[in-house]
């Protein structure tokens, strides 16, 4: 019975995480870790490590799909990725100096609000409009936004994918497909860094759960990314908003059960 429970839990966790990653560049950790903790009673540190490991391949295959469809800004994505990684470490250090400062509900609220936002006020920016911004200005924006996202994620400990999608669409003015493609590109490397550090510090997790979550997340991320790149802007906004709203509500319900 325990074996069956693991398979079912990992399937639905991977499905939610994969859809969130492929459609919206959402971190798999926001979906997988609370499900593994609540349903399977897994230690939080181990669950987060599995979630981050699942995020690596799912984000990588999503980024490859978006890149193949010319919906990925590699140059500015690399700049933002480096900045995010550096200032995430800085934010983590600052958080260690401040007692009782936890915002576990941050990523849940961000997911819900972004989902509603994409349904009520879709992102209809075109690639032509994106190209009107000078390369120098875009580079500066990438550094500044990467700094802010990194500090918030390091201090709060969650919300990386959602924060990236928010700043890419609302601040940098990216077209939605390019924003998601760039977000999953960045998340590939941040998840790899996080997973490696978790396994180095805490040791190897439950290998069955790890394998199942990686496979199911990868499968659904691939399906979502292929659909997203073929969809029109209006359909993609509605689909992204619906996925984020449902996932945000589900994660909130799971957190309330803890």
């Amino acid at each position: 019975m325990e074996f069956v429970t693991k398979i079912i839990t990992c399937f639905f966790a991977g499905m939610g995480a994969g859809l969130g990653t492929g459609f919206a560049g959402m971190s798999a950790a926001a979906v997988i870790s609370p499900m593994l903790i609540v349903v399977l009673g897994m230690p939080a540190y181990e669950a987060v490590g599995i979630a981050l490991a699942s995020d690596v391949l799912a984000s990588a295959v999503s980024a490859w799909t978006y890149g193949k469809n010319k919906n990925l800004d590699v140059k500015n994505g690399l700049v933002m990725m480096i900045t995010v990684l550096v200032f995430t470490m800085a934010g983590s250090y600052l958080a260690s100096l401040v007692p009782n400062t936890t915002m576990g509900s941050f990523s849940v609220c961000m997911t819900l609000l972004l989902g509603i936002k994409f349904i009520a006020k879709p992102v209809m920016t075109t690639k032509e409009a994106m190209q009107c911004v000078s390369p120098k200005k875009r580079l500066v924006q990438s550094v500044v936004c990467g700094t802010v996202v990194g500090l918030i994620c390091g201090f709060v400990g969650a919300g990386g994918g959602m924060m990236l999608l928010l700043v890419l669409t609302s601040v940098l003015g990216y077209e939605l497909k390019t924003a998601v493609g760039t977000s999953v590109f960045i998340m590939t490397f941040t998840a790899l860094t996080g997973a490696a550090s978790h396994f180095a510090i805490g040791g190897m997790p439950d290998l069955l759960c790890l394998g199942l979550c990686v496979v199911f997340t990868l499968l659904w991320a691939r399906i979502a990314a292929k659909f997203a790149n073929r969809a029109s802007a209006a359909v993609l906004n509605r689909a992204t908003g619906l996925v984020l709203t449902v996932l945000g509500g589900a994660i909130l319900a799971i957190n309330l059960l803890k």
Side-chain angles (χ1 to χ4, degrees):
M1 187 64 184
E2 182 182 349
F3 178 75
V4 175
T5 302
K6 281 186 178 182
I7 294 177
I8 294 173
T9 302
C10 292
F11 174 79
F12 283 105
M15 181 174 68
L19 290 175
T21 299
F23 274 119
M26 182 179 177
S27 171
V31 181
I32 292 177
S33 51
M35 286 195 68
L36 295 183
I37 293 167
V38 174
V39 181
L40 300 181
M42 186 177 291
Y45 197 86
E46 182 180 357
V48 172
I50 290 175
L52 289 170
S54 303
D55 213 358
V56 177
L57 287 179
S59 292
V61 75
S62 296
W64 179 79
T65 303
Y66 278 91
K68 188 173 69 171
N69 288 276
K70 304 186 186 305
N71 293 316
L72 172 60
D73 184 355
V74 175
K75 179 183 175 182
N76 291 299
L78 281 171
V79 172
M80 188 176 289
M81 178 193 73
I82 294 169
T83 313
V84 167
L85 288 174
V86 170
F87 282 92
T88 295
M89 290 187 286
S92 297
Y93 174 72
L94 290 173
S96 69
L97 302 177
V98 182
N100 301 320
T101 306
T102 57
M103 293 174 62
S105 60
F106 178 81
S107 60
V108 179
C109 293
M110 179 68 71
T111 303
L112 275 171
L113 291 175
L114 269 183
I116 296 169
K117 185 255 184 192
F118 281 122
I119 294 173
K121 189 179 179 182
V123 177
M124 301 303 290
T125 306
T126 62
K127 289 188 177 180
E128 290 74 18
M130 280 180 58
Q131 293 169 356
C132 293
V133 180
S134 69
K136 184 178 180 180
K137 181 180 179 181
R138 182 74 75 201
L139 186 66
V140 172
Q141 287 178 326
S142 298
V143 172
V144 172
C145 290
T147 301
V148 174
V149 171
L151 284 172
I152 291 175
C153 292
F155 195 78
V156 173
M162 293 297 92
M163 284 296 298
L164 284 171
L165 186 62
L166 179 64
V167 299
L168 286 169
T169 54
S170 300
V171 181
L172 274 71
Y174 274 48
E175 175 259 347
L176 183 55
K177 291 180 183 179
T178 307
V180 176
T182 305
S183 176
V184 290
F185 172 71
I186 296 170
M187 289 303 297
T188 300
F189 297 96
T190 56
L192 178 61
T193 303
S197 63
H198 267 69
F199 294 157
I201 295 170
M204 289 303 294
D206 184 313
L207 293 180
L208 175 61
C209 287
L210 174 62
L212 289 172
C213 285
V214 168
V215 170
F216 289 138
T217 305
L218 177 62
L219 172 65
W220 286 100
R222 174 67 171 153
I223 293 171
K226 288 189 73 172
F227 174 83
N229 278 279
R230 293 176 181 174
S232 65
V235 171
L236 182 57
N237 272 276
R238 292 194 192 98
T240 302
L242 181 62
V243 168
L244 290 177
T245 303
V246 171
L247 287 177
I251 299 165
L252 180 61
I254 291 170
N255 285 333
L256 291 175
L257 291 174
K258 286 198 274 187

